PDB file of all heavy atoms in Angstrom:
ATOM      1  N   ILE A  91      95.080  85.959  88.228  1.00 53.00           N
ATOM      2  CA  ILE A  91      96.265  86.501  87.620  1.00 53.00           C
ATOM      3  C   ILE A  91      96.145  88.036  87.555  1.00 53.00           C
ATOM      4  O   ILE A  91      96.922  88.834  87.877  1.00 53.00           O
ATOM      5  CB  ILE A  91      96.788  85.834  86.329  1.00 53.00           C
ATOM      6  CG1 ILE A  91      97.184  84.423  86.623  1.00 53.00           C
ATOM      7  CG2 ILE A  91      97.851  86.603  85.668  1.00 53.00           C
ATOM      8  CD1 ILE A  91      97.318  83.636  85.322  1.00 53.00           C
ATOM      9  N   PHE A  92      94.972  88.283  86.886  1.00 51.00           N
ATOM     10  CA  PHE A  92      94.587  89.622  86.568  1.00 51.00           C
ATOM     11  C   PHE A  92      94.633  90.553  87.789  1.00 51.00           C
ATOM     12  O   PHE A  92      95.172  91.765  87.776  1.00 51.00           O
ATOM     13  CB  PHE A  92      93.137  89.754  85.952  1.00 51.00           C
ATOM     14  CG  PHE A  92      92.737  91.056  85.380  1.00 51.00           C
ATOM     15  CD1 PHE A  92      93.088  91.503  84.094  1.00 51.00           C
ATOM     16  CD2 PHE A  92      92.013  92.050  86.105  1.00 51.00           C
ATOM     17  CE1 PHE A  92      92.729  92.670  83.584  1.00 51.00           C
ATOM     18  CE2 PHE A  92      91.609  93.172  85.706  1.00 51.00           C
ATOM     19  CZ  PHE A  92      91.990  93.602  84.321  1.00 51.00           C
ATOM     20  N   ALA A  93      94.063  89.977  88.958  1.00 57.00           N
ATOM     21  CA  ALA A  93      93.951  90.678  90.227  1.00 57.00           C
ATOM     22  C   ALA A  93      95.330  91.038  90.769  1.00 57.00           C
ATOM     23  O   ALA A  93      95.603  91.928  91.644  1.00 57.00           O
ATOM     24  CB  ALA A  93      93.145  89.860  91.216  1.00 57.00           C
ATOM     25  N   GLN A  94      96.410  90.143  90.557  1.00 75.00           N
ATOM     26  CA  GLN A  94      97.697  90.291  91.120  1.00 75.00           C
ATOM     27  C   GLN A  94      98.429  91.461  90.507  1.00 75.00           C
ATOM     28  O   GLN A  94      99.220  91.992  91.229  1.00 75.00           O
ATOM     29  CB  GLN A  94      98.491  89.022  90.874  1.00 75.00           C
ATOM     30  CG  GLN A  94      98.000  87.788  91.660  1.00 75.00           C
ATOM     31  CD  GLN A  94      98.458  87.971  93.210  1.00 75.00           C
ATOM     32  OE1 GLN A  94      99.315  88.715  93.595  1.00 75.00           O
ATOM     33  NE2 GLN A  94      97.585  87.363  94.005  1.00 75.00           N
ATOM     34  N   VAL A  95      98.266  91.868  89.320  1.00 83.00           N
ATOM     35  CA  VAL A  95      98.978  92.938  88.604  1.00 83.00           C
ATOM     36  C   VAL A  95      98.283  94.211  88.805  1.00 83.00           C
ATOM     37  O   VAL A  95      97.053  94.397  88.353  1.00 83.00           O
ATOM     38  CB  VAL A  95      99.234  92.529  87.154  1.00 83.00           C
ATOM     39  CG1 VAL A  95     100.072  93.616  86.496  1.00 83.00           C
ATOM     40  CG2 VAL A  95      99.763  91.150  87.072  1.00 83.00           C
ATOM     41  N   PRO A  96      98.919  95.178  89.257  1.00 85.00           N
ATOM     42  CA  PRO A  96      98.220  96.563  89.463  1.00 85.00           C
ATOM     43  C   PRO A  96      98.006  97.170  88.015  1.00 85.00           C
ATOM     44  O   PRO A  96      98.703  96.867  87.044  1.00 85.00           O
ATOM     45  CB  PRO A  96      99.268  97.458  90.230  1.00 85.00           C
ATOM     46  CG  PRO A  96     100.622  96.732  89.967  1.00 85.00           C
ATOM     47  CD  PRO A  96     100.241  95.209  89.787  1.00 85.00           C
ATOM     48  N   THR A  97      96.831  97.854  87.900  1.00 84.00           N
ATOM     49  CA  THR A  97      96.571  98.501  86.545  1.00 84.00           C
ATOM     50  C   THR A  97      97.422  99.645  86.325  1.00 84.00           C
ATOM     51  O   THR A  97      97.423 100.045  85.199  1.00 84.00           O
ATOM     52  CB  THR A  97      95.004  99.000  86.631  1.00 84.00           C
ATOM     53  OG1 THR A  97      94.768  99.819  87.849  1.00 84.00           O
ATOM     54  CG2 THR A  97      94.193  97.762  86.868  1.00 84.00           C
ATOM     55  N   LEU A  98      98.103 100.165  87.368  1.00 85.00           N
ATOM     56  CA  LEU A  98      98.969 101.316  87.179  1.00 85.00           C
ATOM     57  C   LEU A  98     100.096 101.257  88.075  1.00 85.00           C
ATOM     58  O   LEU A  98      99.979 101.151  89.210  1.00 85.00           O
ATOM     59  CB  LEU A  98      98.107 102.677  87.329  1.00 85.00           C
ATOM     60  CG  LEU A  98      98.921 103.936  87.299  1.00 85.00           C
ATOM     61  CD1 LEU A  98      99.520 104.195  85.751  1.00 85.00           C
ATOM     62  CD2 LEU A  98      98.262 105.126  87.829  1.00 85.00           C
ATOM     63  N   LEU A  99     101.319 101.484  87.528  1.00 89.00           N
ATOM     64  CA  LEU A  99     102.483 101.585  88.214  1.00 89.00           C
ATOM     65  C   LEU A  99     102.950 103.154  88.209  1.00 89.00           C
ATOM     66  O   LEU A  99     103.144 103.551  87.170  1.00 89.00           O
ATOM     67  CB  LEU A  99     103.651 100.670  87.721  1.00 89.00           C
ATOM     68  CG  LEU A  99     103.576  99.276  87.977  1.00 89.00           C
ATOM     69  CD1 LEU A  99     104.627  98.456  87.405  1.00 89.00           C
ATOM     70  CD2 LEU A  99     103.602  99.040  89.532  1.00 89.00           C
ATOM     71  N   THR A 100     103.183 103.624  89.275  1.00 92.00           N
ATOM     72  CA  THR A 100     103.616 105.030  89.290  1.00 92.00           C
ATOM     73  C   THR A 100     105.098 105.126  89.072  1.00 92.00           C
ATOM     74  O   THR A 100     105.791 104.105  89.216  1.00 92.00           O
ATOM     75  CB  THR A 100     103.364 105.783  90.532  1.00 92.00           C
ATOM     76  OG1 THR A 100     104.187 105.129  91.697  1.00 92.00           O
ATOM     77  CG2 THR A 100     101.810 105.673  90.886  1.00 92.00           C
ATOM     78  N   ALA A 101     105.665 106.294  88.697  1.00 92.00           N
ATOM     79  CA  ALA A 101     107.025 106.504  88.446  1.00 92.00           C
ATOM     80  C   ALA A 101     107.741 106.228  89.671  1.00 92.00           C
ATOM     81  O   ALA A 101     108.942 105.625  89.698  1.00 92.00           O
ATOM     82  CB  ALA A 101     107.350 107.974  87.833  1.00 92.00           C
ATOM     83  N   THR A 102     107.219 106.700  90.740  1.00 93.00           N
ATOM     84  CA  THR A 102     107.879 106.460  92.080  1.00 93.00           C
ATOM     85  C   THR A 102     108.099 105.056  92.510  1.00 93.00           C
ATOM     86  O   THR A 102     109.063 104.625  93.004  1.00 93.00           O
ATOM     87  CB  THR A 102     107.086 107.145  93.177  1.00 93.00           C
ATOM     88  OG1 THR A 102     106.950 108.628  92.931  1.00 93.00           O
ATOM     89  CG2 THR A 102     107.685 106.981  94.508  1.00 93.00           C
ATOM     90  N   GLN A 103     107.041 104.184  92.279  1.00 94.00           N
ATOM     91  CA  GLN A 103     107.105 102.784  92.460  1.00 94.00           C
ATOM     92  C   GLN A 103     108.168 102.164  91.640  1.00 94.00           C
ATOM     93  O   GLN A 103     108.907 101.213  92.244  1.00 94.00           O
ATOM     94  CB  GLN A 103     105.801 102.111  92.212  1.00 94.00           C
ATOM     95  CG  GLN A 103     104.599 102.430  93.192  1.00 94.00           C
ATOM     96  CD  GLN A 103     103.266 101.886  92.806  1.00 94.00           C
ATOM     97  OE1 GLN A 103     102.847 102.032  91.606  1.00 94.00           O
ATOM     98  NE2 GLN A 103     102.614 101.211  93.693  1.00 94.00           N
ATOM     99  N   ILE A 104     108.178 102.491  90.385  1.00 94.00           N
ATOM    100  CA  ILE A 104     109.289 101.908  89.494  1.00 94.00           C
ATOM    101  C   ILE A 104     110.669 102.372  89.909  1.00 94.00           C
ATOM    102  O   ILE A 104     111.637 101.633  90.015  1.00 94.00           O
ATOM    103  CB  ILE A 104     108.935 102.346  88.066  1.00 94.00           C
ATOM    104  CG1 ILE A 104     107.794 101.752  87.450  1.00 94.00           C
ATOM    105  CG2 ILE A 104     110.143 101.888  87.175  1.00 94.00           C
ATOM    106  CD1 ILE A 104     107.182 102.310  86.205  1.00 94.00           C
ATOM    107  N   ARG A 105     110.931 103.656  90.224  1.00 93.00           N
ATOM    108  CA  ARG A 105     112.204 104.113  90.654  1.00 93.00           C
ATOM    109  C   ARG A 105     112.696 103.415  91.918  1.00 93.00           C
ATOM    110  O   ARG A 105     113.813 102.997  92.118  1.00 93.00           O
ATOM    111  CB  ARG A 105     112.117 105.600  90.887  1.00 93.00           C
ATOM    112  CG  ARG A 105     112.045 106.535  89.603  1.00 93.00           C
ATOM    113  CD  ARG A 105     112.443 107.955  89.781  1.00 93.00           C
ATOM    114  NE  ARG A 105     112.224 108.694  88.602  1.00 93.00           N
ATOM    115  CZ  ARG A 105     111.223 109.392  88.167  1.00 93.00           C
ATOM    116  NH1 ARG A 105     110.084 109.471  89.272  1.00 93.00           N
ATOM    117  NH2 ARG A 105     111.040 110.063  87.219  1.00 93.00           N
ATOM    118  N   GLU A 106     111.714 103.263  92.912  1.00 95.00           N
ATOM    119  CA  GLU A 106     112.044 102.598  94.185  1.00 95.00           C
ATOM    120  C   GLU A 106     112.512 101.158  93.955  1.00 95.00           C
ATOM    121  O   GLU A 106     113.419 100.712  94.625  1.00 95.00           O
ATOM    122  CB  GLU A 106     110.901 102.596  95.086  1.00 95.00           C
ATOM    123  CG  GLU A 106     110.610 104.077  95.628  1.00 95.00           C
ATOM    124  CD  GLU A 106     109.430 104.097  96.661  1.00 95.00           C
ATOM    125  OE1 GLU A 106     108.568 103.071  96.623  1.00 95.00           O
ATOM    126  OE2 GLU A 106     109.177 105.122  97.297  1.00 95.00           O
ATOM    127  N   ALA A 107     111.846 100.516  93.069  1.00 95.00           N
ATOM    128  CA  ALA A 107     112.184  99.075  92.770  1.00 95.00           C
ATOM    129  C   ALA A 107     113.432  99.026  92.124  1.00 95.00           C
ATOM    130  O   ALA A 107     114.397  98.201  92.350  1.00 95.00           O
ATOM    131  CB  ALA A 107     111.128  98.447  91.898  1.00 95.00           C
ATOM    132  N   MET A 108     113.782 100.027  91.177  1.00 95.00           N
ATOM    133  CA  MET A 108     115.022 100.042  90.503  1.00 95.00           C
ATOM    134  C   MET A 108     116.110 100.369  91.456  1.00 95.00           C
ATOM    135  O   MET A 108     117.272  99.695  91.305  1.00 95.00           O
ATOM    136  CB  MET A 108     114.925 100.982  89.342  1.00 95.00           C
ATOM    137  CG  MET A 108     114.055 100.720  88.204  1.00 95.00           C
ATOM    138  SD  MET A 108     114.781  99.312  87.237  1.00 95.00           S
ATOM    139  CE  MET A 108     113.792  99.435  85.618  1.00 95.00           C
ATOM    140  N   ASP A 109     115.814 101.149  92.316  1.00 94.00           N
ATOM    141  CA  ASP A 109     116.956 101.498  93.397  1.00 94.00           C
ATOM    142  C   ASP A 109     117.312 100.254  94.230  1.00 94.00           C
ATOM    143  O   ASP A 109     118.514 100.046  94.446  1.00 94.00           O
ATOM    144  CB  ASP A 109     116.490 102.588  94.376  1.00 94.00           C
ATOM    145  CG  ASP A 109     116.478 104.049  93.469  1.00 94.00           C
ATOM    146  OD1 ASP A 109     117.097 104.133  92.500  1.00 94.00           O
ATOM    147  OD2 ASP A 109     115.747 104.899  94.214  1.00 94.00           O
ATOM    148  N   GLU A 110     116.248  99.570  94.521  1.00 95.00           N
ATOM    149  CA  GLU A 110     116.562  98.179  95.344  1.00 95.00           C
ATOM    150  C   GLU A 110     117.367  97.298  94.494  1.00 95.00           C
ATOM    151  O   GLU A 110     118.238  96.677  95.059  1.00 95.00           O
ATOM    152  CB  GLU A 110     115.185  97.713  95.733  1.00 95.00           C
ATOM    153  CG  GLU A 110     114.431  98.547  96.731  1.00 95.00           C
ATOM    154  CD  GLU A 110     113.060  97.931  97.256  1.00 95.00           C
ATOM    155  OE1 GLU A 110     112.845  96.745  96.834  1.00 95.00           O
ATOM    156  OE2 GLU A 110     112.189  98.625  97.850  1.00 95.00           O
ATOM    157  N   ILE A 111     117.063  97.199  93.205  1.00 95.00           N
ATOM    158  CA  ILE A 111     117.733  96.224  92.350  1.00 95.00           C
ATOM    159  C   ILE A 111     119.263  96.770  92.376  1.00 95.00           C
ATOM    160  O   ILE A 111     120.160  96.036  92.372  1.00 95.00           O
ATOM    161  CB  ILE A 111     117.124  96.190  91.080  1.00 95.00           C
ATOM    162  CG1 ILE A 111     115.778  95.493  91.049  1.00 95.00           C
ATOM    163  CG2 ILE A 111     118.156  95.433  90.061  1.00 95.00           C
ATOM    164  CD1 ILE A 111     114.997  95.709  89.587  1.00 95.00           C
ATOM    165  N   ALA A 112     119.451  98.063  92.101  1.00 94.00           N
ATOM    166  CA  ALA A 112     120.759  98.628  92.002  1.00 94.00           C
ATOM    167  C   ALA A 112     121.533  98.214  93.295  1.00 94.00           C
ATOM    168  O   ALA A 112     122.816  97.887  93.213  1.00 94.00           O
ATOM    169  CB  ALA A 112     120.705 100.063  91.730  1.00 94.00           C
ATOM    170  N   VAL A 113     120.970  98.433  94.385  1.00 95.00           N
ATOM    171  CA  VAL A 113     121.629  98.228  95.787  1.00 95.00           C
ATOM    172  C   VAL A 113     121.996  96.574  95.850  1.00 95.00           C
ATOM    173  O   VAL A 113     123.125  96.410  96.299  1.00 95.00           O
ATOM    174  CB  VAL A 113     120.856  98.672  96.921  1.00 95.00           C
ATOM    175  CG1 VAL A 113     121.436  98.172  98.235  1.00 95.00           C
ATOM    176  CG2 VAL A 113     120.753 100.175  96.897  1.00 95.00           C
ATOM    177  N   GLU A 114     121.064  95.818  95.558  1.00 94.00           N
ATOM    178  CA  GLU A 114     121.351  94.417  95.675  1.00 94.00           C
ATOM    179  C   GLU A 114     122.370  93.873  94.809  1.00 94.00           C
ATOM    180  O   GLU A 114     123.190  93.127  95.162  1.00 94.00           O
ATOM    181  CB  GLU A 114     119.967  93.681  95.128  1.00 94.00           C
ATOM    182  CG  GLU A 114     118.828  93.749  96.186  1.00 94.00           C
ATOM    183  CD  GLU A 114     117.438  93.274  95.699  1.00 94.00           C
ATOM    184  OE1 GLU A 114     117.556  92.750  94.600  1.00 94.00           O
ATOM    185  OE2 GLU A 114     116.461  93.342  96.469  1.00 94.00           O
ATOM    186  N   LEU A 115     122.477  94.519  93.568  1.00 94.00           N
ATOM    187  CA  LEU A 115     123.538  94.115  92.598  1.00 94.00           C
ATOM    188  C   LEU A 115     124.981  94.611  93.180  1.00 94.00           C
ATOM    189  O   LEU A 115     125.842  93.774  93.076  1.00 94.00           O
ATOM    190  CB  LEU A 115     123.326  94.598  91.287  1.00 94.00           C
ATOM    191  CG  LEU A 115     122.149  94.168  90.455  1.00 94.00           C
ATOM    192  CD1 LEU A 115     121.890  94.888  89.257  1.00 94.00           C
ATOM    193  CD2 LEU A 115     122.286  92.576  90.149  1.00 94.00           C
ATOM    194  N   SER A 116     124.943  95.774  93.623  1.00 92.00           N
ATOM    195  CA  SER A 116     126.194  96.285  94.332  1.00 92.00           C
ATOM    196  C   SER A 116     126.682  95.423  95.455  1.00 92.00           C
ATOM    197  O   SER A 116     127.873  95.132  95.537  1.00 92.00           O
ATOM    198  CB  SER A 116     126.016  97.734  94.497  1.00 92.00           C
ATOM    199  OG  SER A 116     127.274  98.327  95.100  1.00 92.00           O
ATOM    200  N   GLU A 117     125.739  95.246  96.286  1.00 93.00           N
ATOM    201  CA  GLU A 117     126.123  94.588  97.621  1.00 93.00           C
ATOM    202  C   GLU A 117     126.388  93.032  97.394  1.00 93.00           C
ATOM    203  O   GLU A 117     127.203  92.518  98.149  1.00 93.00           O
ATOM    204  CB  GLU A 117     125.026  94.680  98.559  1.00 93.00           C
ATOM    205  CG  GLU A 117     124.758  96.030  99.109  1.00 93.00           C
ATOM    206  CD  GLU A 117     123.714  96.162 100.075  1.00 93.00           C
ATOM    207  OE1 GLU A 117     122.840  95.189 100.203  1.00 93.00           O
ATOM    208  OE2 GLU A 117     123.466  97.197 100.795  1.00 93.00           O
ATOM    209  N   SER A 118     125.855  92.495  96.374  1.00 93.00           N
ATOM    210  CA  SER A 118     126.264  91.043  96.180  1.00 93.00           C
ATOM    211  C   SER A 118     127.445  90.809  95.308  1.00 93.00           C
ATOM    212  O   SER A 118     127.878  89.689  95.096  1.00 93.00           O
ATOM    213  CB  SER A 118     124.988  90.411  95.446  1.00 93.00           C
ATOM    214  OG  SER A 118     124.807  91.022  94.148  1.00 93.00           O
ATOM    215  N   GLY A 119     127.993  91.925  94.862  1.00 90.00           N
ATOM    216  CA  GLY A 119     129.280  91.862  93.991  1.00 90.00           C
ATOM    217  C   GLY A 119     129.077  91.294  92.638  1.00 90.00           C
ATOM    218  O   GLY A 119     129.991  90.529  92.045  1.00 90.00           O
ATOM    219  N   GLU A 120     127.849  91.509  91.997  1.00 92.00           N
ATOM    220  CA  GLU A 120     127.549  90.973  90.757  1.00 92.00           C
ATOM    221  C   GLU A 120     128.435  91.562  89.689  1.00 92.00           C
ATOM    222  O   GLU A 120     129.103  92.690  89.901  1.00 92.00           O
ATOM    223  CB  GLU A 120     126.141  91.247  90.381  1.00 92.00           C
ATOM    224  CG  GLU A 120     125.156  90.372  91.074  1.00 92.00           C
ATOM    225  CD  GLU A 120     125.043  88.982  90.524  1.00 92.00           C
ATOM    226  OE1 GLU A 120     125.650  88.663  89.531  1.00 92.00           O
ATOM    227  OE2 GLU A 120     124.331  88.172  91.065  1.00 92.00           O
TER     228      GLU A 120
END
């Protein structure tokens, strides 16, 4: 479990993931 989780998440990684979530919610009509 420890090996699966990165020790550091960059701001860019978080923003990109958030952007993908935003697109998915919009396209799915949530």
